[in-house]
Amino acid sequence: MASSSTENPPIIRNAWYVAGYSTELKPNAVLGRKLLGTKYALFRRPGGALGMVRAACPHRGSDLSRGRLVGDCLRCPMHGWEFDADGRCTKVPSQPDTQKIPPGARLEVAEIREQQGLIWVWLGDKAELCPVPAHDEWNPSPGRRCYFEAPRLWKCSFVNAVENAIDTTHIPFMHPATLGAGSRALYPRQEIIVDEDGRGFAGRDAPESPWGERREAALEGGPLIQLLGRLLGVGPIESEQYRFDLGGSLFYKVQYANGTWEVLVAHSTPASDTETWFFGVSVRTRGLHFLADVFQRWFARTLVDEDEDEVSAMLSNDPRESFPLVSVVGDEPLLTFRRLWERQSRKEHHGGRSGFRVVGTGGV
Ligand code: FES
Ligand SMILES: [Fe+2]
Protein backbone atom coordinates (compact mmCIF):
# COMPACT_ATOMS: atom_id res chain seq x y z
CA MET A 1 0.00 0.00 0.00
CA ALA A 2 1.09 3.56 -0.53
CA SER A 3 3.26 5.22 2.06
CA SER A 4 3.91 8.84 2.89
CA SER A 5 5.59 10.85 5.59
CA THR A 6 4.76 13.60 8.03
CA GLU A 7 6.80 16.05 5.95
CA ASN A 8 4.16 17.86 3.95
CA PRO A 9 4.81 19.66 0.67
CA PRO A 10 4.62 23.47 0.65
CA ILE A 11 1.13 24.96 0.87
CA ILE A 12 -0.42 25.59 -2.54
CA ARG A 13 -1.49 29.14 -3.36
CA ASN A 14 -3.27 28.64 -6.69
CA ALA A 15 -6.57 27.51 -5.17
CA TRP A 16 -9.73 28.98 -3.71
CA TYR A 17 -9.83 28.91 0.08
CA VAL A 18 -12.64 29.97 2.37
CA ALA A 19 -11.61 33.11 4.30
CA GLY A 20 -14.85 33.57 6.26
CA TYR A 21 -18.62 33.83 6.18
CA SER A 22 -20.61 36.67 4.61
CA THR A 23 -22.32 37.25 7.96
CA GLU A 24 -18.99 38.05 9.63
CA LEU A 25 -18.79 41.35 7.75
CA LYS A 26 -21.56 43.92 8.16
CA PRO A 27 -21.18 47.16 6.12
CA ASN A 28 -18.16 49.20 7.32
CA ALA A 29 -16.79 46.25 9.32
CA VAL A 30 -13.09 45.29 9.20
CA LEU A 31 -11.91 41.82 10.15
CA GLY A 32 -8.37 40.49 10.60
CA ARG A 33 -7.57 36.96 9.49
CA LYS A 34 -4.29 35.09 9.13
CA LEU A 35 -4.30 32.98 5.95
CA LEU A 36 -1.43 31.03 4.39
CA GLY A 37 1.00 32.55 6.89
CA THR A 38 0.08 36.20 6.30
CA LYS A 39 -2.34 38.50 8.11
CA TYR A 40 -5.05 40.06 5.93
CA ALA A 41 -7.69 42.70 6.55
CA LEU A 42 -11.13 41.89 5.14
CA PHE A 43 -13.69 44.66 5.00
CA ARG A 44 -17.08 45.52 3.61
CA ARG A 45 -17.49 48.93 1.98
CA PRO A 46 -20.64 50.98 2.69
CA GLY A 47 -22.13 49.89 -0.67
CA GLY A 48 -21.75 46.20 0.28
CA ALA A 49 -18.69 45.26 -1.80
CA LEU A 50 -15.99 43.25 -0.07
CA GLY A 51 -12.28 43.98 -0.07
CA MET A 52 -9.25 42.17 1.24
CA VAL A 53 -5.71 43.52 1.53
CA ARG A 54 -2.52 42.46 3.24
CA ALA A 55 -2.85 43.87 6.76
CA ALA A 56 0.73 45.12 7.21
CA CYS A 57 0.77 48.90 6.70
CA PRO A 58 3.67 49.82 4.38
CA HIS A 59 4.52 52.87 6.54
CA ARG A 60 5.60 51.26 9.83
CA GLY A 61 3.84 47.91 9.74
CA SER A 62 0.86 48.51 11.98
CA ASP A 63 -2.07 46.12 11.64
CA LEU A 64 -4.61 47.57 9.20
CA SER A 65 -7.28 45.12 10.39
CA ARG A 66 -7.37 47.30 13.52
CA GLY A 67 -8.14 50.31 11.33
CA ARG A 68 -11.49 51.51 10.04
CA LEU A 69 -13.29 52.39 6.86
CA VAL A 70 -13.59 56.04 5.89
CA GLY A 71 -15.93 56.06 2.92
CA ASP A 72 -14.50 53.40 0.61
CA CYS A 73 -10.97 53.74 2.00
CA LEU A 74 -9.26 51.77 4.76
CA ARG A 75 -7.56 54.03 7.31
CA CYS A 76 -4.50 52.90 9.25
CA PRO A 77 -4.99 53.10 13.03
CA MET A 78 -1.49 54.50 13.63
CA HIS A 79 -0.86 57.59 11.46
CA GLY A 80 -4.09 57.65 9.48
CA TRP A 81 -2.84 56.86 5.99
CA GLU A 82 -5.79 55.92 3.76
CA PHE A 83 -5.85 53.22 1.09
CA ASP A 84 -8.41 52.88 -1.72
CA ALA A 85 -10.00 49.77 -3.29
CA ASP A 86 -6.93 49.22 -5.50
CA GLY A 87 -4.61 49.33 -2.49
CA ARG A 88 -3.21 52.77 -3.44
CA CYS A 89 -2.46 55.21 -0.63
CA THR A 90 -4.57 58.30 -1.28
CA LYS A 91 -3.92 60.31 1.86
CA VAL A 92 -1.01 60.96 4.24
CA PRO A 93 -2.35 63.29 6.96
CA SER A 94 1.13 64.37 8.14
CA GLN A 95 1.91 66.13 4.84
CA PRO A 96 0.04 68.61 2.58
CA ASP A 97 -1.82 67.28 -0.47
CA THR A 98 0.77 68.98 -2.68
CA GLN A 99 3.46 66.62 -1.40
CA LYS A 100 3.97 63.43 -3.44
CA ILE A 101 2.86 60.11 -1.89
CA PRO A 102 5.66 57.51 -2.33
CA PRO A 103 4.69 54.96 -5.02
CA GLY A 104 5.64 52.12 -2.65
CA ALA A 105 2.75 53.11 -0.36
CA ARG A 106 0.60 50.38 -1.83
CA LEU A 107 -1.17 47.32 -0.46
CA GLU A 108 -1.33 43.86 -1.96
CA VAL A 109 -4.98 43.32 -2.97
CA ALA A 110 -6.33 39.76 -2.85
CA GLU A 111 -8.73 38.20 -5.37
CA ILE A 112 -11.96 37.68 -3.48
CA ARG A 113 -15.45 36.32 -4.22
CA GLU A 114 -18.60 36.19 -2.16
CA GLN A 115 -20.84 33.28 -3.04
CA GLN A 116 -23.48 31.18 -1.25
CA GLY A 117 -22.76 32.79 2.13
CA LEU A 118 -19.01 32.18 1.91
CA ILE A 119 -16.06 34.50 1.30
CA TRP A 120 -13.53 32.84 -0.98
CA VAL A 121 -10.00 34.06 -1.55
CA TRP A 122 -7.29 33.32 -4.13
CA LEU A 123 -3.80 34.15 -2.89
CA GLY A 124 -1.82 32.78 -5.84
CA ASP A 125 -1.08 33.63 -9.45
CA LYS A 126 -4.09 35.47 -10.88
CA ALA A 127 -3.33 34.11 -14.36
CA GLU A 128 -4.23 30.64 -13.01
CA LEU A 129 -7.67 31.60 -11.64
CA CYS A 130 -10.28 28.85 -11.92
CA PRO A 131 -14.00 28.74 -10.95
CA VAL A 132 -14.92 28.90 -7.26
CA PRO A 133 -16.24 25.55 -5.95
CA ALA A 134 -20.05 25.64 -5.90
CA HIS A 135 -22.87 23.19 -5.28
CA ASP A 136 -26.55 23.74 -5.92
CA GLU A 137 -27.23 22.42 -2.40
CA TRP A 138 -25.54 25.51 -0.90
CA ASN A 139 -28.04 27.90 -2.47
CA PRO A 140 -30.47 29.33 0.07
CA SER A 141 -34.01 28.13 -0.54
CA PRO A 142 -37.22 28.06 1.54
CA GLY A 143 -37.18 24.26 1.69
CA ARG A 144 -33.64 24.14 3.12
CA ARG A 145 -32.08 24.85 6.51
CA CYS A 146 -28.49 25.99 6.55
CA TYR A 147 -26.23 26.12 9.61
CA PHE A 148 -22.80 27.78 9.68
CA GLU A 149 -20.63 26.61 12.58
CA ALA A 150 -18.54 29.53 13.97
CA PRO A 151 -15.03 29.65 12.45
CA ARG A 152 -12.43 27.84 14.51
CA LEU A 153 -8.66 27.95 14.47
CA TRP A 154 -7.44 24.38 14.93
CA LYS A 155 -3.89 23.85 16.19
CA CYS A 156 -2.99 21.36 13.50
CA SER A 157 -1.46 21.09 10.05
CA PHE A 158 -3.64 21.70 7.02
CA VAL A 159 -3.05 18.16 5.73
CA ASN A 160 -4.24 16.63 9.01
CA ALA A 161 -7.36 18.83 9.04
CA VAL A 162 -8.31 17.89 5.47
CA GLU A 163 -7.59 14.20 5.96
CA ASN A 164 -9.76 14.19 9.05
CA ALA A 165 -12.64 15.72 7.06
CA ILE A 166 -12.32 13.13 4.30
CA ASP A 167 -11.71 10.17 6.60
CA THR A 168 -14.74 8.29 7.90
CA THR A 169 -12.86 5.27 9.28
CA HIS A 170 -12.24 7.23 12.50
CA ILE A 171 -16.00 7.54 13.25
CA PRO A 172 -16.57 4.53 15.55
CA PHE A 173 -13.49 5.47 17.60
CA MET A 174 -13.58 9.27 17.72
CA HIS A 175 -17.35 9.82 17.74
CA PRO A 176 -18.82 7.00 19.90
CA ALA A 177 -21.25 9.37 21.66
CA THR A 178 -22.49 11.26 18.60
CA LEU A 179 -22.37 8.98 15.59
CA GLY A 180 -22.33 5.79 17.64
CA ALA A 181 -19.70 3.31 18.78
CA GLY A 182 -21.57 0.74 16.74
CA SER A 183 -21.01 2.57 13.43
CA ARG A 184 -19.49 0.30 10.82
CA ALA A 185 -15.75 -0.10 11.26
CA LEU A 186 -15.25 -2.15 8.12
CA TYR A 187 -14.91 0.32 5.28
CA PRO A 188 -16.05 -0.68 1.80
CA ARG A 189 -13.67 -0.22 -1.12
CA GLN A 190 -14.11 3.21 -2.66
CA GLU A 191 -15.00 4.24 -6.18
CA ILE A 192 -13.05 7.46 -6.74
CA ILE A 193 -13.19 9.61 -9.85
CA VAL A 194 -10.49 12.28 -10.15
CA ASP A 195 -11.29 15.44 -12.17
CA GLU A 196 -9.43 15.74 -15.47
CA ASP A 197 -7.67 18.88 -14.30
CA GLY A 198 -6.54 17.15 -11.08
CA ARG A 199 -8.14 19.77 -8.85
CA GLY A 200 -10.72 17.56 -7.17
CA PHE A 201 -12.34 14.15 -6.93
CA ALA A 202 -15.68 12.51 -6.23
CA GLY A 203 -16.12 9.30 -4.29
CA ARG A 204 -18.57 6.78 -2.88
CA ASP A 205 -18.64 3.21 -1.62
CA ALA A 206 -17.94 0.91 -4.56
CA PRO A 207 -21.26 -0.90 -5.27
CA GLU A 208 -19.50 -4.24 -5.80
CA SER A 209 -17.23 -3.93 -2.77
CA PRO A 210 -16.75 -7.26 -1.01
CA TRP A 211 -16.03 -5.44 2.25
CA GLY A 212 -18.68 -4.06 4.56
CA GLU A 213 -22.41 -3.69 4.24
CA ARG A 214 -23.87 -0.58 2.66
CA ARG A 215 -24.97 1.82 5.39
CA GLU A 216 -28.76 1.89 5.25
CA ALA A 217 -29.83 3.70 8.42
CA ALA A 218 -28.48 7.06 9.55
CA LEU A 219 -29.43 6.39 13.19
CA GLU A 220 -29.14 2.90 14.57
CA GLY A 221 -30.46 1.99 18.01
CA GLY A 222 -33.48 1.08 20.14
CA PRO A 223 -37.05 2.49 20.10
CA LEU A 224 -35.97 5.85 21.58
CA ILE A 225 -33.35 6.40 18.90
CA GLN A 226 -35.89 5.39 16.26
CA LEU A 227 -38.37 7.91 17.68
CA LEU A 228 -35.71 10.64 17.63
CA GLY A 229 -34.92 9.69 14.04
CA ARG A 230 -38.59 10.10 13.04
CA LEU A 231 -38.78 13.50 14.80
CA LEU A 232 -35.68 14.69 12.93
CA GLY A 233 -36.92 13.34 9.61
CA VAL A 234 -33.97 10.94 9.33
CA GLY A 235 -35.04 7.94 7.27
CA PRO A 236 -33.35 5.01 5.54
CA ILE A 237 -30.37 6.04 3.42
CA GLU A 238 -30.61 5.71 -0.34
CA SER A 239 -27.09 6.88 -1.25
CA GLU A 240 -24.01 8.66 0.08
CA GLN A 241 -21.37 10.51 -1.87
CA TYR A 242 -18.56 12.98 -1.31
CA ARG A 243 -16.50 15.42 -3.28
CA PHE A 244 -13.24 17.20 -2.56
CA ASP A 245 -11.98 20.42 -4.16
CA LEU A 246 -8.52 21.94 -3.84
CA GLY A 247 -7.75 24.05 -1.59
CA GLY A 248 -9.56 22.31 1.27
CA SER A 249 -13.29 21.82 0.68
CA LEU A 250 -14.97 18.52 1.48
CA PHE A 251 -18.62 18.08 0.52
CA TYR A 252 -20.51 15.07 1.85
CA LYS A 253 -24.12 14.29 0.89
CA VAL A 254 -26.60 11.76 2.27
CA GLN A 255 -29.72 11.14 0.18
CA TYR A 256 -32.64 9.63 2.11
CA ALA A 257 -35.15 7.20 0.61
CA ASN A 258 -37.98 9.62 1.52
CA GLY A 259 -36.59 12.20 -0.95
CA THR A 260 -34.91 14.50 1.60
CA TRP A 261 -31.15 14.96 1.91
CA GLU A 262 -28.48 16.55 3.99
CA VAL A 263 -25.07 17.92 3.23
CA LEU A 264 -22.12 18.37 5.58
CA VAL A 265 -19.28 20.55 4.40
CA ALA A 266 -15.85 21.09 5.92
CA HIS A 267 -13.77 23.95 4.52
CA SER A 268 -10.18 23.93 5.77
CA THR A 269 -7.84 26.86 5.16
CA PRO A 270 -4.20 27.03 6.26
CA ALA A 271 -3.49 29.87 8.70
CA SER A 272 0.14 28.82 9.19
CA ASP A 273 2.12 25.55 9.09
CA THR A 274 0.64 24.53 12.43
CA GLU A 275 -2.79 26.24 12.46
CA THR A 276 -5.78 25.64 10.23
CA TRP A 277 -9.10 27.44 9.96
CA PHE A 278 -12.13 25.18 10.06
CA PHE A 279 -15.44 26.36 8.60
CA GLY A 280 -18.22 23.80 9.00
CA VAL A 281 -21.50 24.19 7.13
CA SER A 282 -24.53 21.92 7.02
CA VAL A 283 -27.63 22.08 4.84
CA ARG A 284 -30.66 19.82 5.12
CA THR A 285 -34.10 19.38 3.63
CA ARG A 286 -35.27 16.93 6.30
CA GLY A 287 -36.89 17.97 9.59
CA LEU A 288 -37.60 21.63 8.75
CA HIS A 289 -38.55 22.66 12.27
CA PHE A 290 -37.10 24.26 15.38
CA LEU A 291 -36.34 21.03 17.23
CA ALA A 292 -34.27 19.74 14.33
CA ASP A 293 -32.46 23.13 14.20
CA VAL A 294 -31.47 22.80 17.85
CA PHE A 295 -30.36 19.23 17.30
CA GLN A 296 -28.37 20.18 14.20
CA ARG A 297 -26.52 22.89 16.11
CA TRP A 298 -25.70 20.59 19.01
CA PHE A 299 -24.73 17.76 16.71
CA ALA A 300 -22.44 19.86 14.49
CA ARG A 301 -20.76 21.58 17.44
CA THR A 302 -20.15 18.36 19.35
CA LEU A 303 -18.84 16.56 16.29
CA VAL A 304 -16.40 19.38 15.53
CA ASP A 305 -15.31 19.48 19.21
CA GLU A 306 -14.50 15.79 19.05
CA ASP A 307 -12.56 16.17 15.81
CA GLU A 308 -10.68 19.28 16.92
CA ASP A 309 -9.66 17.72 20.23
CA GLU A 310 -8.08 14.62 18.70
CA VAL A 311 -6.69 16.14 15.50
CA SER A 312 -4.96 18.96 17.43
CA ALA A 313 -3.22 16.34 19.56
CA MET A 314 -1.73 14.45 16.56
CA LEU A 315 2.06 14.22 16.74
CA SER A 316 2.27 14.55 12.97
CA ASN A 317 1.24 18.21 13.35
CA ASP A 318 4.72 19.05 14.56
CA PRO A 319 7.06 19.59 11.58
CA ARG A 320 10.03 18.67 13.81
CA GLU A 321 8.55 15.20 14.44
CA SER A 322 9.49 13.60 11.16
CA PHE A 323 8.53 9.97 10.61
CA PRO A 324 7.11 7.76 7.84
CA LEU A 325 3.37 7.06 7.75
CA VAL A 326 1.87 3.70 6.85
CA SER A 327 -1.41 3.57 4.92
CA VAL A 328 -3.97 0.84 4.25
CA VAL A 329 -6.75 0.33 1.71
CA GLY A 330 -9.23 2.30 3.84
CA ASP A 331 -7.03 5.37 3.34
CA GLU A 332 -7.73 5.51 -0.41
CA PRO A 333 -9.64 8.83 -0.31
CA LEU A 334 -6.97 10.44 1.92
CA LEU A 335 -4.20 9.30 -0.38
CA THR A 336 -6.07 10.64 -3.39
CA PHE A 337 -6.15 14.05 -1.70
CA ARG A 338 -2.43 13.81 -0.89
CA ARG A 339 -1.62 12.88 -4.49
CA LEU A 340 -3.53 15.89 -5.91
CA TRP A 341 -2.09 18.19 -3.27
CA GLU A 342 1.47 17.05 -3.93
CA ARG A 343 1.07 17.40 -7.72
CA GLN A 344 -0.27 20.93 -7.48
CA SER A 345 2.39 21.88 -4.93
CA ARG A 346 5.17 20.55 -7.19
CA LYS A 347 3.71 22.45 -10.14
CA GLU A 348 3.72 25.69 -8.18
CA HIS A 349 7.13 25.22 -6.67
CA HIS A 350 8.76 24.29 -10.00
CA GLY A 351 9.99 20.79 -9.39
CA GLY A 352 11.11 21.62 -5.87
CA ARG A 353 11.75 18.37 -4.02
CA SER A 354 9.23 17.44 -1.41
CA GLY A 355 9.69 14.83 1.27
CA PHE A 356 6.13 13.76 0.67
CA ARG A 357 5.89 10.48 -1.22
CA VAL A 358 2.60 9.01 -2.33
CA VAL A 359 2.42 6.09 -4.69
CA GLY A 360 -1.11 6.41 -6.11
CA THR A 361 -4.09 4.43 -4.95
CA GLY A 362 -4.89 2.37 -8.01
CA GLY A 363 -4.62 -1.39 -7.78
CA VAL A 364 -4.24 -1.58 -4.02
S1 FES B 1 1.98 52.62 10.40
FE1 FES B 1 0.26 52.87 9.13
S2 FES B 1 0.19 54.99 8.76
FE2 FES B 1 1.97 54.71 10.00
FE1 LIG C 1 -14.82 13.30 12.65
Side-chain angles (χ1 to χ4, degrees), residues 193-202 243-246 336 340:
I193 299 170
V194 176
D195 296 355
E196 258 177 41
D197 62 5
R199 299 191 64 93
F201 65 90
R243 177 170 171 85
F244 174 78
D245 287 285
L246 288 177
T336 306
L340 301 190

Side-chain angles (χ1 to χ4, degrees), residues 153-172:
L153 188 59
W154 289 15
K155 300 258 178 271
C156 71
S157 71
F158 173 74
V159 166
N160 280 347
V162 172
E163 284 201 352
N164 176 69
I166 298 174
D167 172 34
T168 56
T169 64
H170 72 246
I171 288 176

Side-chain angles (χ1 to χ4, degrees), residues 178 215 217-221 225-226 228-230 232 234-235 237 295:
T178 39
R215 203 164 71 99
L219 286 176
E220 281 163 9
I225 296 287
Q226 296 307 316
L228 177 68
R230 270 202 296 282
L232 299 174
V234 175
I237 293 175
F295 180 82

